[in-house]
Amino acid sequence: MIVHLRLTAPADLTDSVRETLCAKEWITNVTLQRDAVLDPPGDLLECDVAREKAGALIDKLERCGLKERGSILVVEPSGAPFDRAEELEAVAAGHPDDAVIWEQVAADAESGADPTVSYHLFLVLAVALGAVAVLTDSAVLVVGAMVVGPDFAVVASASAGIVLGRWRLVRRSLQLLVLSFVLAIAVVGLLCVLGRLTGMIDVADVTGPRPNTGFIWRPDQWSLVVALIAGSVGVLALSIQKTSTMVGVFISVTTVPAAGNLALGMAFLEVGEILGSLAQLGINLAGMLVAGTLVLAFQRAWWIPVTAGAERVFRALSYGNDDGSAASAGPGHSRSEGVGVRDGE
């Protein structure tokens, strides 16, 4: 698996960038077009790099001044059916599926902290669906509300901001998280009041026996355990771009259903429902934030040596290979034994 980089550089930086690209065996297809960039004027360089080393290369390019005076565009091709791609992977320590491109993590975190109309609409609708789940005592609707809820992306942004030392991002993320839930609960709460006034909802719907959804406002020690596990899985999936795993995170935590129950409790002034829902919501959000921060901090400090060392163990155990060869190395190639460091030196 490779990553394609498209770079623009002012003329006085081109030679240093070219030398950086040509100096590594895990980089190929280096191209240079002088004066190809018109606005701002400069040169165009492109290359393919093993995904395991993309973060290290981007870090070196930023130190060359390309971030401030040029541009770096990262493209992940859907396929790379040529032998040299397998050779790049063979000489790069680690496995491409385990690679973390921190610049990509940072970009995703910044995007996740942006307040958008769609984010607020999704959250309001998810909380409304959670409230309906409570009224109908439907476990299916609880799961639906969890899947619709967009709040984990903001939690992950706050975790990334803490680990990367971007405190403005942390502030933006937490502010968006709090204010968006306040808005969603207020909107759904007003709808619940309207339902109460029109006779669609009565207090028995909220306080009556709810064997399928009563857990929403009754947090226990497992609420924290689930939140910690879900937060860990979520940031791990985001950092290595395994977004399909996120569905499991969404249907594990009860942030949105708790917010829906909170809106109903406020509409009927049921103190027990309100306090229980607040506790469930707080435990889940705090647990995910703590777990996400710890996992990203571990990845930041130890991920490269751990994944490279683990791959050597897997190769020794012949995982997935009858002949004991490396899982993804091409014919005649074996992976590098070095564990590497972040800058690839």
Side-chain angles (χ1 to χ4, degrees):
M1 189 181 299
I2 63 171
V3 171
H4 182 77
L5 297 186
R6 184 181 185 277
L7 315 170
T8 62
D12 60 306
L13 289 183
T14 298
D15 288 340
S16 63
V17 173
R18 176 181 55 80
E19 291 172 2
T20 298
L21 299 181
C22 294
K24 301 298 182 183
E25 58 183 348
W26 32 265
I27 300 175
T28 192
N29 297 336
V30 179
T31 62
L32 168 59
Q33 300 179 56
R34 299 278 185 181
D35 302 320
V37 184
L38 302 180
D39 185 20
D43 302 325
L44 175 65
L45 301 97
E46 298 186 69
C47 71
D48 295 323
V49 56
R51 192 177 192 277
E52 304 94 306
K53 293 294 186 179
L57 177 58
I58 293 171
D59 188 56
K60 291 178 71 69
L61 293 172
E62 289 180 348
R63 293 205 299 267
C64 287
L66 208 57
K67 180 179 180 180
E68 294 79 14
R69 302 185 56 204
S71 67
I72 304 172
L73 179 64
V74 181
V75 180
E76 297 202 42
S78 58
F82 61 98
D83 289 347
R84 180 60 178 147
E86 294 183 351
E87 295 175 13
L88 297 186
E89 187 179 337
V91 299
H95 192 283
D97 285 348
D98 290 331
V100 178
I101 303 176
W102 287 102
E103 291 74 14
Q104 196 171 52
V105 172
D108 290 343
E110 292 285 352
S111 176
D114 289 336
T116 62
V117 173
S118 58
Y119 169 82
H120 284 88
L121 280 176
F122 274 123
L123 189 58
V124 169
L125 293 173
V127 172
L129 193 57
V132 175
V134 170
L135 293 172
T136 59
D137 193 33
S138 171
V140 173
L141 290 182
V142 169
V143 173
M146 291 174 175
V147 174
V148 174
D151 49 301
F152 181 77
V154 188
V155 176
S157 294
S159 296
I162 294 172
V163 172
L164 298 174
R166 300 190 178 191
W167 303 112
R168 180 175 175 273
L169 172 60
V170 177
R171 179 183 60 78
R172 288 174 53 221
S173 301
L174 295 179
Q175 184 178 55
L176 174 60
L177 193 64
V178 172
L179 294 181
S180 62
F181 265 108
V182 169
L183 174 63
I185 292 169
V187 171
V188 176
L190 288 175
L191 292 176
C192 293
V193 170
L194 181 62
R196 178 183 181 181
L197 294 176
T198 58
M200 288 184 61
I201 309 171
D202 60 47
V203 68
D205 295 325
V206 181
T207 60
R210 286 190 276 128
N212 294 318
T213 59
F215 69 92
I216 291 175
W217 66 282
R218 296 192 185 99
D220 55 23
Q221 70 272 22
W222 296 111
S223 300
L224 178 59
V225 171
V226 170
L228 292 172
I229 295 174
S232 301
V233 172
V235 297
L236 179 61
L238 289 175
S239 67
I240 60 175
Q241 300 295 300
K242 297 292 184 182
T243 53
S244 60
T245 309
M246 295 303 298
V247 176
V249 176
F250 296 151
I251 62 177
S252 298
V253 291
T254 53
T255 53
V256 165
N261 197 79
L262 176 59
L264 283 168
M266 293 175 64
F268 287 90
L269 300 178
E270 289 293 328
V271 177
E273 300 280 344
I274 293 173
L275 295 180
S277 300
L278 279 173
Q280 184 74 275
L281 182 60
I283 288 171
N284 277 271
L285 291 176
M288 288 191 296
L289 179 61
V290 170
T293 301
L294 292 176
V295 169
L296 285 177
F298 170 79
Q299 288 183 291
R300 187 73 168 169
W302 298 104
W303 194 244
I304 291 177
V306 166
T307 54
E311 190 188 26
R312 291 201 303 273
V313 174
F314 298 154
R315 186 166 64 248
L317 295 174
S318 303
Y319 271 18
N321 294 274
D322 293 335
D323 60 358
S325 60
S328 53
H333 298 281
S334 61
R335 285 188 174 277
S336 169
E337 294 296 322
V339 296
V341 293
R342 186 172 189 274
D343 64 5
E345 296 299 334

